[in-house]
Amino acid sequence: MAPRFAAASSSAVPLFLIEQDQLQDWLDSQPASVQTWVATNGFTAACGQALVVPAANGSANLALAGYGNASQRARKRFVLAAAAEKLPAGSYRLQGNTQHTVALTPEQQQTECLGWLLGQYRFTRYKSGKPAAATLVAPDGIVAASVETLAASEWLTRDLINTPAADMGPAALEAAAEALASEFEASIGVTAGEDLLAANLPLIHTVGRAAEQAPRLIDMQWGSAGPKLTLVGKGVCFDTGGLNLKPGASMGLMKKDMGGAANVLGLARMIMAAKLPLQLRVLIPAVENAVAGNAFRPGDVLTSRKGLTVEINNTDAEGRLVLADALALAEEGDPDLVISMATLTGAARVAVGPDLAPFYTDHDADAAALATAAVPQADPVWRMPFHAPYETMIEPAIADLDNAPSGGFAGSITAALFLRRFAGETRYMHFDIYGWMPSAAPGRPKGGIGQGGRAVFAALPQMLDLKDA
């Protein structure tokens, strides 16, 4: 099932979005029976409240959705989606800008409608579940097809992350990328197994060689004109920690360690569906960090595609290794912008929690464009520093770089600095995302989640000066 708005119909139930301080004025304009029903059911128009008001024959006459007040909304995303979850089955038509209801701008309407579609997501591959009951007719003030595209791209990301590693290993991730390429007539190539060594992608090979499924680099390309954008996504389909084996509690969510790959595929889908006038390349190193006799070891010194040597002080810091080779390859294509996404460090979660997508860039204009674009997309991001004085922390005694500096300080920053060494002089932005909702929220069920993708998509026209976008 794909996210879709309901077809326009005269039978759709009118849905009034009401702020708390508007409620009494709205009630004063309604019949006594409606006033009594609302009072009896305790509807106060608090954020996310919902109430159906019946007609005399028992059918739905109208519905109310609470929009709270400004201080309540500042603590929530997708208020309309919260109400949608409480509405009974049926099709609803938002009564925009009517007397004593919320006067949403077109931008706000688009955000709230996106939240409604995102809230319809269900992961049903292994367990049947009821589809979302309440559907929404697209208001006249939004571009419905664009909202559906954003939601469908997010659903793709969620499906990929939610699928267990037994069914989403490197081969399955490759198949998902191939399906996306086929849908949008993109080209795709894959370098796997021992061919990675011949192609000078040694870190990808080393990290993934102990797993049953061969490691691989997925390379998808689309578009023939315009600025060059390369997306690099960490595709560690499961991370045991390698010989620095994770404890069981830390391994439980490691199916999501390919969340960077899932997010760049979702972003790529947005770009291709919107036909942005650019040249897109997607690079995904897809591996499983497993334990076997040929697993790489703490203390090993590895040589990367770029020629930089890396001392391995922790085999559980493998994501930056596979990204390093992919970023070096990306730089060789002379792109105008490289963006990497990875579920890279626990330090980023400690710094900003699971809800914010921290990002790094040396370009103030890109950071400003992204921060501005993130707000209407309800896709919050937070800039982190490429703090140059910490460079010494990733420079060990016997190699060019250290993959896991000791001391425990600035873990996300040192990982980002490590990656920047391989991006070289390329204009570069890096996201250290979580990719997971630990508990359900409006529009965002518990499980895999997209982070930063919608914000990037909305900012690309400015960042790449896409005049025709």
Side-chain angles (χ1 to χ4, degrees), residues 6 16 72 78 105 107 145 212 244 253 317 395 406 430 435 447:
F16 295 86
Q72 290 176 1
F78 301 132
T105 65
E107 190 176 75
E212 181 178 356
N244 290 110
L253 276 183
E395 296 171 346
S406 61
H430 165 61

Side-chain angles (χ1 to χ4, degrees), residues 137-226:
V137 176
D140 293 336
I142 72 167
V143 183
S146 295
V147 178
E148 289 176 341
T149 292
L150 291 175
S153 301
E154 168 78 13
W155 283 26
L156 169 63
T157 293
R158 294 179 184 184
D159 278 347
L160 293 174
I161 297 174
N162 285 330
T163 302
D167 294 323
M168 190 50 64
L173 186 55
E174 175 189 332
E178 288 176 341
L180 183 64
S182 177
E183 181 180 357
F184 291 99
E185 299 181 343
S187 64
I188 191 166
V190 178
T191 305
E194 298 303 306
D195 290 342
L196 290 167
L197 296 176
N200 191 24
L201 296 164
L203 296 184
I204 299 173
H205 178 271
T206 298
V207 170
R209 70 191 181 198
E212 181 178 356
Q213 289 190 28
R216 63 205 68 202
L217 178 79
I218 301 163
D219 187 346
M220 183 172 72
Q221 300 186 47
W222 174 89
S224 58

Side-chain angles (χ1 to χ4, degrees), residues 253-285:
L253 276 183
M254 282 301 99
K255 69 176 184 179
K256 80 169 186 68
D257 213 22
M258 40 65 70
N263 270 266
V264 299
L265 288 174
L267 174 54
R269 190 188 187 285
M270 297 177 209
I271 291 167
M272 294 187 291
K275 300 180 180 178
L276 291 188
L278 54 78
Q279 299 176 69
L280 174 66
R281 188 180 193 186
V282 179
L283 295 173
I284 296 174

Side-chain angles (χ1 to χ4, degrees), residues 39 55 92 95 109 114 169 209 252 332 376 391 434-435 447:
Y92 295 84
Q95 300 300 291
Q109 275 195 332
L114 172 63
R209 70 191 181 198
E332 294 165 15
E391 291 275 4
Y434 190 50

